[in-house]
Amino acid sequence: MKNDDGLRVVNFKKKINSTFRDKDLRNYYVLFIEVSNLNTYSLFYDITLSDRISRNVYNDLQKMFAKKFVFLYKSDQIIVINEFTNKVVLDRTIRADEQRHTCQEIINYISNQKYSLKDTEQYYNVDLTIGSGSIGIINKEKDIDSLIKLAHFSMIKAKEKNRKILIADEAIRTVKMDLDDFNLEIENGFKLDEFSPFFIPILNPYSMEVIGCESLARWRKDKYRVIEASKFKGIAIERNLFDKIDLRVIEKTFQAYLKWRNLRLIDENFMLSINLSRQTLLDIDNIDLIKNLSIFRLSPGNVEFDLDIENDISKFEIEAINALKQKGFKIAIDVFNLQNISLDLLTLIDIDTIKFGRLGIYEDNNYSLREYNLYRTLVRISKVMNSKVMAKGIENADNLKLSLKLKVDYVQGYYFTKPLDEYHFGIFLNKYKDGIYQSE
């Protein structure tokens, strides 16, 4: 499916650039449409359902716009290029209103359609998110590809703001221009090999021994500037770079493990917890790096892949997780918000470790009895399902005491250290090889 999308985009760009090479772009606006609930269908049904729905939406939009400039961009994304009704009107408000009106017409039209598979009476409603872009006052958009990227950016911002429609204005254009510069920096950073893992220890809270570490992707611009993954992940994913960054970070993590083993700072039971993006998860079974763990003196049981998928998980992600489990790898799930915990998710995946983030019960050394009982129940459920429990966000002695009271299996947090690069984490391991308190 990934290859089909890639080929579709290449063919689309050739066709669209040829079609609009000699046209006056001031007379056009671009709508970037995403079918935003296809993952819901993928969770319980075969891929043909998602494909069929997407294709039917595309066909309906072709009917709506008389097949003029409607293109299936990716499996869940459609581009519509439309002419302004009055080409001589330059008033930004009027032009924005026309774009907004067209977007709303599309949403109204598609939401009234019923989509189904053959020989079934079950129907599905489609949710759309639409971003729109046209030539701005500064007139930076010189070709149709620039307008498409602007509309795509508006669609992304609409999703972030939980809106169905977003029209690119000058403020959005300015933000996009700044991010375009940042994009180039990310690409240069990848070429210069500036992305590396930083490590934060995982401890047994009862013996206070360092039994493993979590590998976190960091962008090391120089000695003093280290950028967290949350600051560049979204952009890197949109530019199809994050899976490459993931792989480089994984490789450097394995190399660090081998170095620590050779220095006898860790033993063969040391656990590596590695954060994995969704795209890397879907591709990882084909990666030679994973197939050749032995060169790093690693076994699959040493490696736990940390996923942030929470509840919106697709059928293909479940299959990829099960394939990793069959090979002996471990799976961890980060739970950032108690409201997002689903018992369905716990039954869909054989989870080795459930990680609870720093939530209200840790605030100001106080917690509500209700929250505490909920945590305690979740820990018990995890144990019944043979999952280990990690308490993250340990920042002081009281947090640690509470974690012990909850009977968690592992702890992690800035109380012990901030994330460290390979060299300084090696120093940390050497200092606390007999336990973090015993050596003080």
Side-chain angles (χ1 to χ4, degrees):
M1 186 167 162
K2 182 183 177 185
N3 292 334
D4 289 344
D5 276 348
L7 184 61
R8 187 183 289 124
V9 170
V10 170
N11 292 336
F12 163 79
K13 286 186 175 180
K14 287 180 180 178
K15 182 177 180 180
I16 202 72
N17 288 330
S18 173
T19 303
F20 282 87
R21 186 173 292 118
D22 299 321
K23 294 186 182 294
D24 187 346
L25 295 182
R26 292 174 298 179
N27 298 330
Y28 294 88
Y29 58 96
V30 176
L31 307 180
F32 200 102
I33 305 168
E34 183 171 281
V35 183
S36 49
N37 60 335
L38 280 186
N39 269 347
T40 304
Y41 305 133
S42 299
L43 180 58
F44 299 107
Y45 301 98
D46 189 81
I47 185 174
T48 53
L49 175 60
S50 297
D51 279 353
R52 183 182 176 87
I53 288 175
S54 185
R55 176 64 65 171
N56 286 343
V57 172
Y58 167 67
N59 290 336
D60 284 341
L61 287 174
Q62 281 197 314
K63 294 175 187 175
M64 186 176 181
F65 290 92
K67 295 187 178 181
K68 200 170 184 181
F69 299 121
V70 181
F71 305 91
L72 186 59
Y73 187 68
K74 289 187 178 181
S75 54
D76 60 343
Q77 295 174 340
I78 300 164
I79 289 175
V80 174
I81 303 175
N82 203 27
E83 286 187 87
F84 281 106
T85 303
N86 193 333
K87 300 181 178 63
V88 298
V89 174
L90 297 179
D91 185 284
R92 298 292 153 187
T93 302
I94 293 175
R95 289 164 74 88
D97 286 345
E98 180 171 340
Q99 292 172 72
R100 190 173 293 105
H101 177 73
T102 304
C103 292
Q104 193 59 59
E105 278 190 329
I106 290 172
I107 288 176
N108 292 344
Y109 178 70
I110 296 299
S111 64
N112 286 322
Q113 306 304 309
K114 293 182 177 180
Y115 300 103
S116 68
L117 287 174
K118 291 181 179 179
D119 305 321
T120 179
E121 296 181 358
Q122 191 168 2
Y123 295 98
Y124 302 93
N125 293 110
V126 167
D127 289 334
L128 299 180
T129 305
I130 308 178
S132 182
S134 61
I135 294 291
I137 296 172
I138 303 175
N139 199 20
K140 286 283 185 181
E141 295 79 25
K142 301 297 184 183
D143 52 35
I144 192 65
D145 193 48
S146 299
L147 282 183
I148 291 169
K149 289 177 180 177
L150 177 60
H152 181 220
F153 184 74
S154 297
M155 186 275 293
I156 293 170
K157 288 299 172 185
K159 289 169 67 176
E160 290 178 1
K161 298 173 183 290
N162 199 27
R163 292 166 59 176
K164 296 293 184 184
I165 298 169
L166 188 61
I167 312 301
D169 56 16
E170 295 308 314
I172 289 176
R173 287 186 180 88
T174 301
V175 172
K176 183 182 180 299
M177 287 167 60
D178 291 340
L179 286 175
D180 285 343
D181 292 337
F182 192 52
N183 289 343
L184 291 176
E185 281 198 60
I186 289 178
E187 291 179 359
N188 289 333
F190 183 74
K191 291 175 184 176
L192 295 171
D193 199 25
E194 293 177 344
F195 295 93
S196 297
F198 271 50
F199 304 95
I200 190 164
I202 299 171
L203 288 90
N204 179 323
Y206 309 99
S207 67
M208 294 310 295
E209 292 178 303
V210 181
I211 53 92
C213 67
E214 182 174 354
S215 172
L216 308 168
R218 293 291 185 265
W219 182 6
R220 193 165 202 166
K221 294 287 292 174
D222 53 43
K223 183 178 179 180
Y224 303 102
R225 289 188 298 165
V226 178
I227 303 173
E228 294 183 8
S230 60
K231 300 293 193 300
F232 61 81
K233 183 175 181 179
I235 298 172
I237 288 174
E238 289 298 329
R239 297 190 73 81
N240 295 318
L241 263 180
F242 200 77
D243 53 338
K244 298 176 184 177
I245 293 172
D246 254 358
L247 294 181
R248 190 71 184 108
V249 168
I250 292 171
E251 182 178 16
K252 290 183 177 181
T253 298
F254 291 170
Q255 290 169 350
Y257 174 90
L258 179 59
K259 186 178 293 186
W260 298 330
R261 282 289 303 273
N262 290 338
L263 292 171
R264 297 185 178 180
L265 297 174
I266 58 176
D267 60 25
E268 68 277 4
N269 297 316
F270 193 83
M271 179 174 64
L272 292 178
S273 180
I274 301 175
N275 287 272
L276 213 60
S277 71
R278 290 185 166 206
Q279 190 56 62
T280 310
L281 168 65
L282 294 174
D283 293 340
I284 201 164
D285 199 36
N286 301 315
I287 295 168
D288 290 337
L289 186 66
I290 301 302
K291 296 176 182 177
N292 298 300
L293 284 180
S294 59
I295 65 175
F296 301 102
R297 296 177 64 187
L298 269 164
S299 70
N302 290 112
V303 181
E304 184 173 74
F305 290 114
D306 190 346
L307 311 174
D308 61 357
I309 49 180
E310 294 198 8
N311 293 331
D312 56 335
I313 184 171
S314 73
K315 171 187 175 183
F316 311 104
E317 288 163 342
I318 293 174
E319 290 174 351
I321 290 168
N322 289 336
L324 287 173
K325 291 288 295 182
Q326 289 172 8
K327 289 179 173 63
F329 293 99
K330 296 179 179 178
I331 297 296
I333 297 291
D334 259 316
V335 179
F336 298 105
N337 191 320
L338 286 176
Q339 282 75 25
N340 290 338
I341 297 173
S342 167
L343 293 181
D344 289 338
L345 179 63
L346 300 183
T347 58
L348 285 170
I349 307 171
D350 181 12
I351 302 171
D352 295 279
T353 306
I354 298 176
K355 301 181 178 183
F356 294 113
R358 182 182 184 276
L359 299 177
I361 63 168
Y362 289 148
E363 295 290 342
D364 301 321
N365 302 329
N366 294 314
Y367 56 88
S368 72
L369 182 60
R370 185 175 180 180
E371 280 184 304
Y372 173 76
N373 287 335
L374 177 55
Y375 256 92
R376 188 171 60 177
T377 300
L378 290 170
V379 170
R380 288 175 177 173
I381 291 173
S382 301
K383 297 293 180 66
V384 168
M385 300 185 74
N386 294 318
S387 298
K388 301 290 186 181
V389 178
M390 178 189 290
K392 300 179 68 173
I394 305 299
E395 294 190 357
N396 53 51
D398 289 322
N399 294 169
L400 181 58
K401 289 177 183 176
L402 182 57
S403 297
L404 289 168
K405 189 176 180 181
L406 286 166
K407 298 181 180 180
V408 303
D409 300 285
Y410 312 123
V411 291
Q412 180 190 88
Y414 280 28
Y415 181 49
F416 312 110
T417 180
K418 64 180 181 180
L420 303 169
D421 62 19
E422 176 204 308
Y423 173 75
H424 289 96
F425 193 74
I427 293 174
F428 179 90
L429 289 170
N430 185 57
K431 182 177 181 180
Y432 296 113
K433 59 186 175 183
D434 297 320
I436 202 166
Y437 284 157
Q438 286 89 327
S439 61
E440 290 188 340

